[in-house]
Amino acid sequence: SRHLREMIDDILDLSRFEIAEFTLYKEPTALAPLLREAVDMCQGFFHGRPLALQVEIAADLPTLEVDRIRIRQVLLNLLNNAQRFTEAGTVRVEAKRGDGEVVVAVCDTGPGIPAADLPHLFEEFYQADRSLQRQHGGAGLGLAISKRFVEAHGGRIWVESQVSVGST
């Protein structure tokens, strides 16, 4: 039931974007504590698995005007994907300043994503594994929603991946 509720919430978020009713509630936010809070919420994903969660958050991150709930949701979506597709190894959250911007990355040592799938990952309902026997659930909405939230904040989101090495 929780999974269905989350799917319905994702579809409602997408529909709000489509009908232009979406509003961000931005407020000055210290980014480091927000990121740590999101990571702490995901600790349970990693318990009892041969999967380590590493966190590298720079001390000099600025205070930004963001919608805390939406930015937290983006990080939760990325962490959820990383842990779902990584059987063993590491998932790492990095946050640092770089070239006049803040870069937040979620890196995993999962199976990686074929190059042909990369341009489509942020499309609604896209699944890289479209087989009937796919091992990982999801509706293909998390990354599409994350992209819209990040872009609504004036940011950008992308993926880098290498098959058999992992994804960022």
Side-chain angles (χ1 to χ4, degrees), residues 3-39:
H3 176 68
L4 288 174
R5 183 183 50 115
E6 289 170 3
M7 285 179 51
I8 290 168
D9 288 345
D10 286 347
I11 291 169
L12 289 173
D13 281 341
L14 282 173
S15 68
R16 285 185 198 107
F17 278 114
E18 297 301 324
I19 59 175
E21 275 189 32
F22 183 74
T23 303
L24 292 177
Y25 298 100
K26 292 183 180 182
E27 54 189 317
T29 302
L31 194 55
L34 177 65
L35 298 175
R36 285 190 199 343
E37 177 186 314
V39 168

Side-chain angles (χ1 to χ4, degrees), residues 1-167:
S1 66
R2 230 176 309 170
H3 176 68
L4 288 174
R5 183 183 50 115
E6 289 170 3
M7 285 179 51
I8 290 168
D9 288 345
D10 286 347
I11 291 169
L12 289 173
D13 281 341
L14 282 173
S15 68
R16 285 185 198 107
F17 278 114
E18 297 301 324
I19 59 175
E21 275 189 32
F22 183 74
T23 303
L24 292 177
Y25 298 100
K26 292 183 180 182
E27 54 189 317
T29 302
L31 194 55
L34 177 65
L35 298 175
R36 285 190 199 343
E37 177 186 314
V39 168
D40 288 346
M41 291 173 72
C42 294
Q43 290 289 341
F45 293 161
F46 299 87
H47 290 298
R49 296 184 59 198
L51 188 58
L53 177 60
Q54 301 173 347
V55 181
E56 298 176 27
I57 298 175
D60 66 342
L61 294 182
T63 295
L64 300 175
E65 288 276 329
V66 299
D67 183 320
R68 293 176 189 171
I69 292 171
R70 301 308 182 190
I71 294 301
R72 184 184 310 115
Q73 185 176 353
V74 169
L75 191 57
L76 293 175
N77 283 341
L78 296 176
L79 282 165
N80 184 38
N81 282 354
Q83 66 84 26
R84 261 191 315 154
F85 291 96
T86 306
E87 296 295 324
T90 59
V91 171
R92 188 175 68 253
V93 176
E94 301 174 351
K96 60 187 175 187
R97 287 179 180 239
D99 295 329
E101 60 187 8
V102 175
V103 178
V104 178
V106 175
C107 312
D108 66 55
T109 58
I113 303 162
D117 290 317
L118 294 177
H120 307 288
L121 284 182
F122 296 99
E123 294 173 6
E124 297 165 16
F125 302 107
Y126 186 80
Q127 298 283 337
D129 179 358
R130 293 174 288 283
S131 72
L132 293 176
Q133 292 83 25
R134 73 177 198 197
Q135 296 177 338
H136 308 287
L141 294 173
L143 291 177
I145 290 168
S146 294
K147 181 177 194 252
R148 291 188 183 189
F149 287 160
V150 168
E151 289 177 348
H153 281 85
R156 56 194 175 95
I157 188 171
W158 68 96
V159 64
E160 298 170 2
S161 188
Q162 186 175 352
V163 173
S164 301
V165 175
S167 302

